[in-house]
Amino acid sequence: MPAIAGLASCGRVLSDLLRTGLVLSGVLLTPMVNRLHAQNRYAQPTSSQYQHPAVVGPSTSNQHPGSESYRFPPAVAGQVSPAAIPNTALPHQPRAISSLTPPPTARQVLQSYPAAIQQALNSANQNGIGEAGFSPIAYLHAYPQDLLSGGATGDLLDSAADDSVLNSMGPAAGGNRTGANTPANQIPGAGHGTDAASREGVPDGVDPHAEVFAEGCYPSAMTCAKCHKKIYDEWRVSAHAYAAVSPMFHKFEQAITQLSTGTVGTFCMRCHAPVAMQMNFPRDGSVLDAPQVIREGVTCVACHRVIEAYGRVHGERRIEPGPLQAPVYGSIGGDGVAKAIAEKDDYKIKIDPNDKSPGQEIHLQAFRFEQLSSSGFCQACHQVAVHPGIALEVVWAQYRASPACKKGISCQDCHMGRVPGKAQGYTVGAAAEMSGKSVSQDRKHSNHIFYGPGNSIAHPGIFPHNEKALRWNTDQWLSFDWRAGWGTKEFEKALADKQIQVQFPKFWDSADERMDARKVLDENFELLGIKRASAISVMEAGSQIEGPFYATRPTLGQDLKLHFNVKNASEGHNNPSGSLGAQPQLWLNVVLTGPNGQWLWESGYLDGNGDLANQHSLQVTQGVIPPDTQLFNLQTQFITTGVKGPDREMYLPVNVDIDQLPFLRPGNIPVSVLNHPPFIRMEQKSIPPLGMKKARYEIPGNLLCQPGTYRISVRMRSRMEPIYFMRFCNATPEMERRMLEQTIDLHPYAVEFNIPSYR
């Protein structure tokens, strides 16, 4: 009986500490309602090994791949260079495809904690959290079962014992982490998920005939591409097409589902996978096993089969089911369809679904749906709030208060028009093309790439969508090592000449298969390049950097104060905006180089994990690198009220301090009273439309000790998720690497100033 009481007490102690979070000695124990993990990520360099990322080339230490900062070119007298030179020779990190090491047990985790953490756990007991005279650490050493990772008692913090709440919502639970036991000097909570796929066959609850049923009610975009190829090619690399296959979306959704004990419900899936919602696709089924139209996220029918004008409904819109021949709804009308049907023999189309003769099937009617061409259509998914009222998407509210709205400029005018981010009209083109003949060539053409800042971190064989890629299933694509060069002429020649030896997965033993797959990847890389260019264009259209402006004349040996004006050139919404739940980062990177081209000073640099050097950097908290005390970062963050102490940042809008059962439910105080939900608020640092903020810097005078020409280089950097947040959501190392590679640089330029030898 005492043993049972002690076990329950220890469980309560650890559960309370995990739910409330704990900051000790600069270490944040993230309050995930999940297993403790302390996997050794990558070996962290010691303080003596640290070199500033702006000075060194590719690190020879075991640093996170892709995390090196990019160097600005060395100063040359009289030359101003706007370009930054990337360190492209990134160290290759092998990824485990098999032989996965089991995750550490809770005992191993606790034994590896710094002494300060163990003291905190013991003091928690002494302060009355546990029973009198009971030590959680001592009990863990004595008790034969692992409290947090199963055993005879089950997992106290995992919902596997009673998962009825989670059975029918979102992606499947899981997320095992791999890695060896954590060394004593490793910070807990820095583990990852696995990169290997582990599904076989059709999961339970998934209808094996779902593909046929889906196509009969919700035609795939690939079906629409037969007549609308130009629109399809734009769409298939867009954020809408990426919505349901984004690895980060699924990690995010899983994290908030577990943290909220399933009470987030279908909130995320409504917008990211609307067809899955309407087909009632089971939560424990992987989207990669779903019909193609589900994997397409915000696909054609998600907009063009909607016939009701919805408002702010948090993604809950009805898609009209029907076969390919059913009506579609657009911004113009059905003249083009009527013309094609009237000349069906010339266009080689057939209008009878029972007609077995050759010919292209089409939809038989098209109607004008007025809301589709207005900003109001976008608000259903781009202005959403999760209980207890915290807004994860706020762009519609920002637009409603913007100069663009007052001028009658719509979302579509800037995000689907001729120029990314600018309301400068639309191009014209054919409505459709059948049998090589165009229909209505002078129609207004809305670009379905939907200009925006995001870029894919998925495997390039899975996204962009490519009909040729369906020759291989998703598990086969995930085992294709595109980074190693499989299928390229150079790789295959080196393999044939026995210069390299590779043990391939069984399916990729054939060189012909690898080379055919590489052709698909080459097509997809070209599309991804177009998407990246459009992301840079729209971000540069909506932002501006001016400066530097010096508060004092640059003088030998004296501190130099300067600032840049960072402007939001957009009339439509804040910058950054969009999905604030993902906490997109937009920051300034400023570097000072000396007369001999030597690096002297920098703000906006990254640590060895790819994080900004602020309070979220594990290397800053360990003292491995200095904190960036002058960082200019426009990232929005969630702030929660603590039971004791000041407010603190929380990665997700779930107040685990106030709520011992952190359910997402309506607040008991109206949002209109406090202007934010009870005990949760959003600290917004973005710049309003046509607004401006000053980025102020002070360079120590002891760095300006040599007469000559100095250079200040500046660029704005943007990425969709911070790396620490990806780790919180159990992202894999490959996901983090892809995010670092997809960071985009905006407005890079450099200016020079001269410091004479006299004061």
Side-chain angles (χ1 to χ4, degrees), residues 30-43:
T30 53
M32 289 181 65
V33 184
N34 201 348
R35 292 196 177 115
L36 284 169
H37 299 279
Q39 174 194 348
N40 184 12
R41 303 180 61 248
Y42 296 98

Side-chain angles (χ1 to χ4, degrees), residues 632-698:
F632 180 83
N633 180 18
L634 297 175
Q635 176 187 354
T636 293
Q637 299 170 330
F638 297 116
I639 304 295
T640 60
T641 302
V643 176
K644 292 188 291 185
D647 291 357
R648 68 186 179 105
E649 183 188 342
M650 178 60 184
Y651 298 160
L652 293 172
V654 182
N655 195 332
V656 294
D657 279 5
I658 299 296
D659 256 338
Q660 295 191 10
L661 292 177
F663 295 161
L664 292 178
R665 54 186 180 268
N668 53 10
I669 302 176
V671 173
S672 57
V673 175
L674 300 175
N675 203 29
H676 61 81
F679 309 117
I680 304 172
R681 59 188 173 86
M682 183 180 289
E683 185 181 19
Q684 188 165 280
K685 300 178 182 177
S686 57
I687 305 175
L690 303 181
M692 185 267 290
K693 285 189 175 183
K694 290 185 178 182
R696 303 179 186 275
Y697 301 100
E698 183 172 351

Side-chain angles (χ1 to χ4, degrees), residues 241-250 287-288 295-297 458 462-463 465:
Y242 182 58
V245 296
S246 163
M248 191 56 210
F249 162 68
H250 289 288
V287 70
L288 299 180
R295 296 199 298 272
E296 292 170 354
I462 295 175
F463 186 85
H465 297 290

Side-chain angles (χ1 to χ4, degrees), residues 199 206 210-211 214 218 220-222 235-236 238-246 249-250 269 272-276 279 281 286-299 461-467 469-475 477:
R199 301 182 315 280
V206 177
E211 188 78 56
Y218 309 99
S220 162
M222 291 184 179
W235 167 85
R236 64 181 169 137
S238 70
H240 283 177
Y242 182 58
V245 296
S246 163
F249 162 68
H250 289 288
M269 303 296 288
H272 281 258
V275 176
M279 290 183 63
F281 189 77
S286 168
V287 70
L288 299 180
D289 296 318
Q292 174 63 27
V293 68
I294 289 179
R295 296 199 298 272
E296 292 170 354
V298 187
T299 185
I462 295 175
F463 186 85
H465 297 290
N466 191 324
E467 190 170 16
L470 299 182
R471 171 175 162 183
W472 302 277
N473 64 40
T474 52
D475 284 337
W477 273 120

Side-chain angles (χ1 to χ4, degrees), residues 463-587:
F463 186 85
H465 297 290
N466 191 324
E467 190 170 16
K468 299 173 185 176
L470 299 182
R471 171 175 162 183
W472 302 277
N473 64 40
T474 52
D475 284 337
Q476 290 166 344
W477 273 120
L478 290 173
S479 67
F480 186 91
D481 194 347
W482 60 276
R483 290 191 182 275
W486 289 9
T488 61
K489 292 180 180 178
E490 297 79 8
F491 177 87
E492 298 302 336
K493 185 178 184 303
L495 189 67
D497 294 343
K498 301 189 183 303
Q499 297 176 14
I500 57 175
Q501 292 183 344
V502 180
Q503 185 175 357
F504 296 102
K506 183 178 179 180
F507 189 83
W508 297 113
D509 275 341
S510 167
D512 289 338
E513 286 292 322
R514 296 193 299 271
M515 294 175 71
D516 287 348
R518 176 58 63 170
K519 292 177 183 177
V520 174
L521 293 184
D522 289 342
E523 288 184 15
N524 283 358
F525 284 135
E526 183 177 356
L527 289 168
L528 290 170
I530 294 172
K531 176 62 173 73
R532 183 179 177 88
S534 76
I536 294 174
S537 295
V538 72
M539 289 295 288
E540 288 193 333
S543 60
Q544 186 178 353
I545 306 174
E546 295 177 344
F549 301 98
Y550 305 100
T552 57
R553 181 172 63 88
T555 305
L556 198 67
Q558 292 188 5
D559 293 353
L560 178 61
K561 294 182 179 180
L562 58 95
H563 74 269
F564 292 89
N565 292 337
V566 181
K567 294 184 175 181
N568 179 3
S570 169
E571 294 184 298
H573 52 71
N574 289 27
N575 192 11
S577 187
S579 180
L580 299 182
Q583 302 170 59
Q585 291 182 315
L586 185 66
W587 75 97

